[in-house]
Amino acid sequence: MVPAKPHFDSELEAYPASLVAHYHNFIRLWIVEHAWNVGSGARIAPHPWLRTGPGNALDGRPRFDLSKYDPAYFERLRSRIIAARDRGLYVSVMLFGGMWGTEHKDTWEGHPFNADNNVNGVDGDLDQDGKGNELYTLRLPRALALQKTTATRVVETLNDLDNVLYEVANEVREYSTPWQHEVIQHVKAVEARMPKQHPVGMTGYNSIPHDDLLKSRADWISPSNSGGDYRNNPPAADGRKVILIDTDHLWGEGGNPDWVWKSFTRGLHPIWMERIKLAAGDLPQAEAIRKAMGQTRRLAERVNLAALVPHPELASTGYCLARPEQEYVVYLPEGGEVTVNLSAVSGTLAVEWIHPVDGTMTPVEFIKLVRAPRDGLSREPQQRTKERLRERLGAGEHVTCMDPTPLSSGPAIRAWVRSGPDSVPRLRAAPRGRRLCPRLPR
């Protein structure tokens, strides 16, 4: 990209360091397909395709030859992904730019697939409305063939790297669904004969039905709010697809720490579109969001994440990742009380509270034995006969935790915990010989 401001490149190079400092491990690597924007005056280079002519494009420079590739583009693509790998970052490589280069006349005028800008006779504006939306359909076989060869060149350039995911395009509308499915199938076919295979993703937009994402051959998807209230009450992942839930597709610019943890405890992978000083000021709660995302990763590395699945029915807050009998992660969006169904546990659990932003961990040292009926989660569990009870009262905090050992028969055992705001309890099976809490005096 040719920077509009001299400091752009230095900020772009510094950005991975900021990600690492906040313990993030994923970025989306965009492609901007248009070569210039008539409205803003911005120019973008290099591109996958060489500008060889003959003849000049609408900007007065040589036309693109869509069958010839610019080595500088692919060398820079590879070098940036290697640099990300060396910092521990995964990269989603965007194969095509999406509607921001085709649905706007200012960018379509500068697009290589505009008939006036290439020597191949390719015209992405089939209906001549001054836009190139047809480029992301199956109505242009010649353009599709060139897109497939371009995607092949990207895959061949990056196949040996392990930190790569592919994304077909960013936010293309419902007319693109068959085209996106075709590109996904092509990438998979190309990699099937290569040493490594990488996940291929499909990005949603409000006009794309959620079922179209789920029915695709994509390994991962990034849905919009058409699939549910992903902003405020994210639907739990059901295992059909890996879901990267992206604020870009929900708000544009938005999100908060609460959204990060709600998404995580519903089995989703939250990613956040932030600013890198290109716009005046930072986003609201920006630093808290960055820290919260880092905390979810830290917790993910401490638990057996592959075995944890969403179990909203086990916690009264509805936000719970669990491997029943072994591990539970519960989120309390508003603090207060939560009831957790631990009836599947046959041993003892170690319990700790984790602050969702600063990551402070507080072990729970006291227990309360309670019983609750099996039907429903009781907010006021009744005490069991001869229960052992200790309570710790601190400044602004009252923690009560339950010995989860179930009775041989009768009601299920539930946990009842109460704390201050912004709490994430983690419950895990204790090592042999270690109890949830020390024995109480008789």
Side-chain angles (χ1 to χ4, degrees):
M1 177 177 289
V2 178
K5 299 179 181 179
H7 62 265
F8 181 85
D9 278 344
S10 62
E11 289 179 353
L12 187 62
E13 296 304 321
Y15 183 59
S18 174
L19 293 171
V20 172
H22 289 91
Y23 212 60
H24 297 185
N25 67 349
F26 177 89
I27 55 174
R28 293 175 73 201
L29 190 59
W30 287 56
I31 176 175
V32 179
E33 279 190 291
H34 56 277
W36 67 92
N37 184 317
V38 175
S40 69
R43 288 187 171 275
I44 298 95
H47 273 72
W49 313 280
L50 285 169
R51 302 193 73 165
T52 63
N56 290 336
L58 292 174
D59 65 345
R61 300 184 182 186
R63 293 188 180 203
F64 287 92
D65 186 336
L66 301 174
S67 66
K68 296 181 179 178
Y69 297 106
D70 185 350
Y73 175 86
F74 294 93
E75 289 169 4
R76 190 172 75 165
L77 174 65
R78 181 175 173 83
S79 68
R80 286 188 169 170
I81 294 174
I82 290 175
R85 178 200 64 188
D86 293 344
R87 289 182 176 271
L89 299 170
Y90 289 91
V91 180
S92 174
V93 177
M94 194 181 296
L95 298 173
F96 302 99
M99 68 181 188
W100 302 109
T102 59
E103 287 199 0
H104 305 278
K105 293 185 178 181
D106 283 352
T107 54
W108 177 243
E109 182 173 323
H111 200 288
F113 281 73
N114 184 313
D116 292 322
N117 296 331
N118 66 75
V119 301
N120 310 89
V122 173
D123 187 1
D125 183 9
L126 191 62
D127 61 5
Q128 299 300 301
D129 65 350
K131 303 176 183 180
N133 297 336
E134 295 82 6
L135 185 61
Y136 302 130
T137 71
L138 301 179
R139 298 171 62 189
L140 299 170
R142 193 171 181 184
L144 178 62
L146 290 166
Q147 289 168 327
K148 286 183 175 181
T149 57
T150 301
T152 299
R153 182 64 176 262
V154 172
V155 169
E156 291 173 345
T157 301
L158 305 177
N159 183 258
D160 65 310
L161 302 178
D162 291 328
N163 62 320
V164 171
L165 299 79
Y166 292 111
E167 175 181 349
V168 176
N170 175 64
E171 291 186 351
V172 196
R173 300 186 193 274
E174 73 286 347
Y175 55 75
S176 74
T177 298
W179 172 82
Q180 291 202 63
H181 290 179
E182 182 73 16
V183 174
I184 292 168
Q185 183 171 337
H186 173 74
V187 172
K188 287 181 172 291
V190 170
E191 284 210 310
R193 59 177 185 266
M194 302 183 76
K196 295 183 178 181
Q197 291 74 46
H198 298 82
V200 186
M202 182 174 174
T203 304
Y205 194 70
N206 284 334
S207 59
I208 295 183
H210 191 63
D211 282 348
D212 286 356
L213 299 178
L214 295 174
K215 293 176 182 177
S216 73
R217 292 192 62 198
D219 301 295
W220 62 271
I221 61 174
S222 189
S224 68
N225 285 305
S226 66
D229 188 7
Y230 281 104
R231 290 184 183 181
N232 303 301
N233 186 21
D238 60 11
R240 285 183 287 175
K241 299 290 184 186
V242 174
I243 298 179
L244 276 62
I245 192 69
D246 187 349
T247 55
D248 181 26
H249 312 313
L250 307 181
W251 283 275
E253 289 187 330
N256 51 64
D258 193 44
W259 168 82
V260 172
W261 279 98
K262 284 182 176 181
S263 299
F264 178 74
T265 51
R266 288 284 172 86
L268 312 175
H269 301 264
I271 60 177
W272 180 55
M273 186 174 75
E274 61 177 326
R275 296 178 182 174
I276 52 172
K277 299 182 181 178
L278 297 182
D282 213 339
L283 297 172
Q285 302 187 70
E287 191 61 17
I289 296 170
R290 295 183 184 107
K291 290 180 178 180
M293 293 185 67
Q295 297 307 332
T296 62
R297 181 188 170 194
R298 286 185 171 89
L299 180 57
E301 292 177 345
R302 295 177 60 212
V303 300
N304 185 355
L305 188 63
L308 295 179
V309 297
H311 278 284
E313 77 284 355
L314 294 183
S316 58
T317 62
Y319 295 100
C320 176
L321 282 177
R323 178 169 57 144
E325 300 184 27
Q326 294 294 323
E327 285 186 301
Y328 302 78
V329 176
V330 180
Y331 180 53
L332 284 67
E334 300 177 359
E337 299 178 359
V338 62
T339 301
V340 184
N341 182 348
L342 300 177
S343 58
V345 178
S346 58
T348 60
L349 294 178
V351 184
E352 65 188 10
W353 291 103
I354 304 171
H355 192 284
V357 175
D358 66 30
T360 302
M361 292 180 285
T362 306
V364 176
E365 300 174 352
F366 300 94
I367 62 173
K368 179 178 182 179
L369 304 186
V370 296
R371 304 178 71 176
R374 291 186 182 276
D375 53 337
L377 293 174
S378 172
R379 301 286 289 185
E380 298 291 341
Q382 296 180 349
Q383 296 183 8
R384 177 176 154 190
T385 305
K386 297 182 180 180
E387 71 177 4
R388 295 172 295 148
L389 174 63
R390 268 191 176 181
E391 295 178 349
R392 180 179 66 187
L393 296 174
E397 184 179 44
H398 173 189
V399 179
T400 306
C401 185
M402 183 195 69
D403 180 343
T405 306
L407 302 177
S408 58
S409 62
I413 296 293
R414 310 284 168 92
W416 178 44
V417 287
R418 186 171 67 195
S419 75
D422 299 328
S423 299
V424 182
R426 176 187 175 225
L427 299 84
R428 60 182 173 81
R432 179 173 296 180
R434 178 181 174 187
R435 293 184 57 78
L436 170 69
C437 308
R439 290 184 180 275
L440 303 180
R442 293 185 181 277

